[in-house]
């Protein structure tokens, strides 16, 4: 558990943080070192950067017992009205 090697399209190396919950591993954070060619092309040579993203919706899934992450981006009023 914890940090495991991962693939994200703009970082190398990449890693993700997972938690073990209800008998399965759940990704909650992805991060990595930005690819040098992206930084060079946008900011000039010599820059280094980390990229990261927290899967806050995955934590909400646990807290509110939401079975499918796609519900967060749906237009289903039955789902959405719970959070107004």
């Amino acid at each position: 558990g914890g940090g495991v090697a991962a693939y994200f399209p703009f970082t190398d190396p990449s890693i993700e943080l997972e938690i073990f919950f209800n008998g399965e591993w759940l990704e909650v954070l992805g991060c990595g070192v930005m690819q040098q060619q992206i930084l060079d092309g946008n900011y000039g040579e010599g820059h280094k950067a980390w990229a990261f993203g927290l899967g806050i919706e995955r934590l909400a899934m646990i807290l509110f017992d939401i079975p499918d992450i796609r519900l967060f981006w749906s237009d289903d009023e039955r789902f959405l009205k719970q959070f107004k």
Side-chain angles (χ1 to χ4, degrees), residues 22-34:
N22 282 348
E24 63 183 0
W25 288 101
L26 183 66
E27 176 191 341
V28 294
L29 175 88
C31 64
V33 177
M34 289 289 299

Side-chain angles (χ1 to χ4, degrees), residues 15-80:
I15 193 167
E16 64 186 32
L17 178 68
E18 298 178 340
I19 59 172
F20 194 69
F21 183 77
N22 282 348
E24 63 183 0
W25 288 101
L26 183 66
E27 176 191 341
V28 294
L29 175 88
C31 64
V33 177
M34 289 289 299
Q35 291 178 358
Q36 195 61 52
Q37 69 268 23
I38 294 171
L39 295 171
D40 291 349
N42 288 286
Y43 302 105
E45 293 184 16
H47 293 277
K48 305 286 183 207
W50 281 86
F52 64 92
L54 177 64
I56 195 79
E57 63 278 341
R58 295 181 187 267
L59 298 176
M61 289 176 70
I62 293 169
L63 289 173
F64 297 105
D65 198 28
I66 299 167
D68 189 333
I69 197 168
R70 294 172 292 187
L71 287 169
F72 287 105
W73 294 277
S74 75
D75 292 327
D76 187 338
E77 273 300 313
R78 297 169 299 170
F79 175 73
L80 297 174

